Amino acid sequence: MGKRHIATNMNPLFQDLNPAQRQAVENTNGPVLVIAGAGAGKTKVLTHRIAYLLQQGVPSWRILALTFTNKAAREMKERIEKLVGGDAARDLWMGTFHSIFGKILRVEAQYLGFDANYTIYDTADSKSLIGKIIAEMNLDKDNYKPNAILNRISNAKNNLITPQAYLQNTDFHKHDLMQRVPQAGEIYQRYVARCRQANAMDFDDLLLYTNILFRDNPDVLVKYQERFTYILVDEFQDTNTSQNLIVKKLALPENNICVVGDDAQSIYSFRGAKIENILNFSRDYPNYKIFKLEQNYRSTPTIVEAANSIIAKNKNQIPKKTFSEQSDGEKIQVLNADTDIEEGVMVSRAIKKLADTGVNYSDIAILYRTNAQSRIMEEMLNKLSIPCRVYGGTSFFQRKEIRDMLAYVRISVNPKDNEAFARCVAYPSKGIGATTMEKIQTLAERNSLSLWEVFLNIELANDVFNKGTIAKIVQFRELLQSFSADLLVADAYALAHRIFTQTGIQKDLEADDSIEGVNRLANVEELLNGIKDFVEADENADAPYLPGYLEKVALLTDMDTENTDSNNKVTLMTVHSAKGLEFSHCFIVGLEENLFPSNMFGAPSPNNVEEERRLFYVALTRAKQSVSVSYANSRRIHGSITAAAPSRFLQEINPAFLAQEQRSTFAGFSRGGASYGSSFSEKFSNSSFSKPQFTGFKKPQNSSKPVIPSTFTPSNPSDLCAGQTVVHQTFGRGYIKELQSDVAVIDFQVGGEKKMLLKFAKLQII
């Protein structure tokens, strides 16, 4: 195809591009990898590149641009229209993977046995259908949770594993047996069949069936290969196996493909994202060109260099050196609190100081690793009348699992609370169905009674309900009465914990091992931690009961504030949610081992730690002007105060970019946690928690005696693996560097590196 060449030195498209950005825009032919550091203007490059292609005479309908959000696609298209005019960009194929491939599937549906008007099931639809299949198969509902099964199915589809392949794979079968869901494969098979019967696809099907369409119909694939002569992919580090395979097929044979991303911001492996897609781009396209956008226009040099010092510790990466030409900016503040409550106080007071200097609350964000951490931050901000919002519109106390727990608290205090009562009847399942509740509602309305009062007199309605239904209602009624009877006998935490265990909420949440399920359980445990704090607070010593706690929570969840600007609020969010956003001032909280980096996935592996480090890199690079990081010496976990060690990531920041550590001085807030009186590096070196697992231990000075736990019990050799921290009775603490068959290479505090036969070593896992 002939092209109209324009003198680039006169082209207005290049006026606001730096040299690296301009090169990435101009080189339109062949495979191109654009590594775009945080704040480096990747969206500008993508939009200008498309505008340049249009300017060079490429028809808009021949350009395919894939994004991960509809918002990103919409904003990019608006920018392109401003650059080249609306008509020129009108027929661009720009959108999310799912929207673009869904559009293709509607045209080609007959090849797959679907009608063009197929329905797209959302998550709720899918879980509902899976729940019906589980019921039809008479499977144990405690083991077979729709959400957990849906996650299994989703992971399979994103790795191009069909139901037939799943059922034939012995490894999957063994894993399902271990998880007590041996019939997961059959559920998958039935689910796919029922979707077909309903002429429906779920979101994962839009990717899976596109792959199947192109695999089984070469002529259809050629049709779209010839149509899309230029392909662009945004956030390439977030693509999964299925998405990458489709893109590779479509790009053939010319391979005019441009992918933009940052391997240092690959943080979604739990959703199936494969960092290997961007790391192996050079292998997939040997004649590729690479352009690195390294100038950060967002953050100060201090923040950029601190982030560089962190990410440099990762082995699996594409090297780059980001820089900023702004003024140096403030050094990173390190806040050390005695407890997690004090951490919330320190952060809240620091935010108040910023506001006093004229900073808008909306320019401030608190970033954390897990949703459960928002509870304390919300409470402490409220104490100082600082307006805040939890990103996504769901505050800690508005999450379903928290509302479910508090509903039981509410009806224990006030059984006539119909809204809470209906919620408790519905969850967890008690065999009291919708039809029964409709009849109870009718009786209540007819006799001007509350739902609870109908339950109290249910035996009088034996002409309406059968004996089995009455027995279930009586059983539930007696459970609620036992809670009410202890309102002013058991303290708030003891009674709340009883509610958690005896209602079945704990069992239900623990049965869901998906990421979402783990987070929901953590949120309820964090609620219980808050109730424990209420009980132990001096101000509640005379009345540490649930009615007082409920009143306190009701005040906290009232989001009314004297500030009339509803948008001027501090943002609270997880680091995952913060990706792609920016704030003038960021507070990164909970920088502790086993929290950040997280131990959610069990013993840390090198790959997990590298992803956690990338997550911390993302957190740092959200800030434009200042960053504060904080950690606590103790944190309440599962209702008990547990000593905490500073995160290895704190030690990895180049100290030249850190301000002097600020320590807790809030004695009145103390919960009995340890007070170390030393810097975080000293605490990290002396802590009983795991040390960094890939840099070796700091050896204690002037000491040849190892520190041995008071109780020593050797672990089973088969449980040992590389990266674990262990104790030996002679050499003390050490970490396993390598595991070769039955021999371990261990770096000890005393004695240094040693090779040991596992069956004779007698090592205790820490």
Side-chain angles (χ1 to χ4, degrees), residues 279-481:
L279 294 179
N280 295 335
F281 188 84
S282 59
R283 185 190 66 187
D284 294 336
Y285 304 93
N287 62 332
Y288 85 116
K289 296 175 184 176
I290 184 170
F291 302 100
K292 298 179 182 180
L293 310 184
E294 296 174 305
Q295 182 170 357
N296 184 308
Y297 291 94
R298 175 189 301 156
S299 308
T300 65
T302 296
I303 294 170
V304 171
E305 291 298 334
N308 285 343
S309 69
I310 285 289
I311 205 63
K313 305 297 189 297
N314 274 7
K315 294 181 179 178
N316 295 317
Q317 63 173 299
I318 297 171
K320 67 175 183 297
K321 180 67 174 177
T322 57
F323 65 94
S324 171
E325 294 184 347
Q326 301 180 32
S327 58
D328 287 343
E330 302 174 22
K331 289 188 176 183
I332 294 173
Q333 298 291 325
V334 180
L335 309 179
N336 171 215
D338 194 40
T339 69
D340 46 358
I341 285 184
E342 291 178 9
E343 180 187 38
V345 174
M346 293 183 77
V347 169
S348 298
R349 290 187 177 180
I351 288 173
K352 194 71 172 176
K353 285 183 179 180
L354 276 175
D356 289 343
T357 65
V359 173
N360 290 325
Y361 287 126
S362 56
D363 291 330
I364 303 170
I366 300 176
L367 309 180
Y368 37 76
R369 180 63 181 82
T370 66
N371 279 311
Q373 292 168 261
S374 71
R375 194 265 304 175
I376 286 176
M377 292 297 158
E378 279 189 272
E379 289 188 12
M380 296 305 112
L381 290 169
N382 271 278
K383 281 182 180 292
L384 292 182
S385 299
I386 297 174
C388 65
R389 69 183 183 104
V390 176
Y391 187 79
T394 304
S395 84
F396 180 86
F397 293 101
Q398 293 301 313
R399 293 172 182 139
K400 178 187 180 299
E401 60 273 18
I402 301 303
R403 290 175 62 84
D404 287 337
M405 264 294 296
L406 290 178
Y408 281 94
V409 173
R410 284 164 56 186
I411 62 171
S412 297
V413 175
N414 175 23
K416 292 184 179 181
D417 185 335
N418 277 349
E419 294 299 315
F421 191 87
R423 194 177 192 98
C424 293
V425 171
Y427 176 81
S429 176
K430 301 164 187 68
I432 303 172
T435 302
T436 298
M437 284 305 297
E438 286 175 7
K439 293 178 181 178
I440 289 173
Q441 183 70 48
T442 300
L443 287 171
E445 292 174 357
R446 187 179 298 163
N447 296 284
S448 300
L449 300 172
S450 67
L451 298 178
W452 172 246
E453 288 169 323
V454 175
F455 267 53
L456 284 176
N457 297 283
I458 198 67
E459 291 90 343
L460 301 178
N462 53 17
D463 58 330
V464 180
F465 305 103
N466 60 41
K467 290 182 179 179
T469 299
I470 291 175
K472 291 174 184 175
I473 291 173
V474 168
Q475 182 181 13
F476 180 54
R477 182 183 72 192
E478 290 175 351
L479 178 64
L480 297 183
Q481 287 174 323

Side-chain angles (χ1 to χ4, degrees), residues 1 28-29 53 58-59 61-64 224-231 250-251 254-257:
M1 177 187 298
T28 57
N29 292 325
L53 286 169
V58 178
W61 54 270
R62 285 193 173 276
I63 300 171
L64 171 63
Y224 289 98
Q225 287 172 336
E226 292 178 346
R227 180 185 186 104
F228 302 126
T229 53
Y230 291 91
I231 298 175
L250 285 174
E254 297 298 327
N255 282 332
N256 288 329
I257 178 173

Side-chain angles (χ1 to χ4, degrees), residues 264-275:
Q265 297 186 67
S266 179
I267 59 173
Y268 294 117
S269 66
F270 66 93
R271 293 181 185 168
K274 300 288 187 183
I275 191 175

Side-chain angles (χ1 to χ4, degrees), residues 10 54 71-72 113 126 155 160-161 185 263 271 276 294 350 371 402 441 472 491 616 632 663 685 722 726 737:
M10 299 295 292
L54 295 171
K71 180 183 177 183
S126 297
N155 288 335
L160 307 177
I161 299 165
D263 56 292
R271 293 181 185 168
E276 294 81 8
E294 296 174 305
N371 279 311
I402 301 303
Q441 183 70 48
K472 291 174 184 175
D491 68 51
F616 185 46
R663 302 195 186 102
S685 298
V726 294
K737 296 179 66 176

Side-chain angles (χ1 to χ4, degrees), residues 152-206:
R152 269 178 163 70
I153 293 173
S154 177
N155 288 335
K157 288 181 177 181
N158 285 327
N159 285 287
L160 307 177
I161 299 165
T162 63
Q164 294 75 18
Y166 191 103
L167 287 167
Q168 293 169 7
N169 190 301
T170 56
D171 289 336
F172 294 155
H173 183 62
K174 288 177 183 177
H175 180 70
D176 290 345
L177 279 174
M178 289 176 60
Q179 298 296 317
R180 298 182 180 179
V181 287
Q183 291 179 274
E186 186 177 346
I187 297 173
Y188 181 15
Q189 188 175 48
R190 292 192 184 197
Y191 171 74
V192 170
R194 292 282 282 274
C195 285
R196 276 191 168 276
Q197 189 179 35
N199 192 38
M201 296 185 194
D202 63 24
F203 276 86
D204 298 314
D205 284 331
L206 298 177

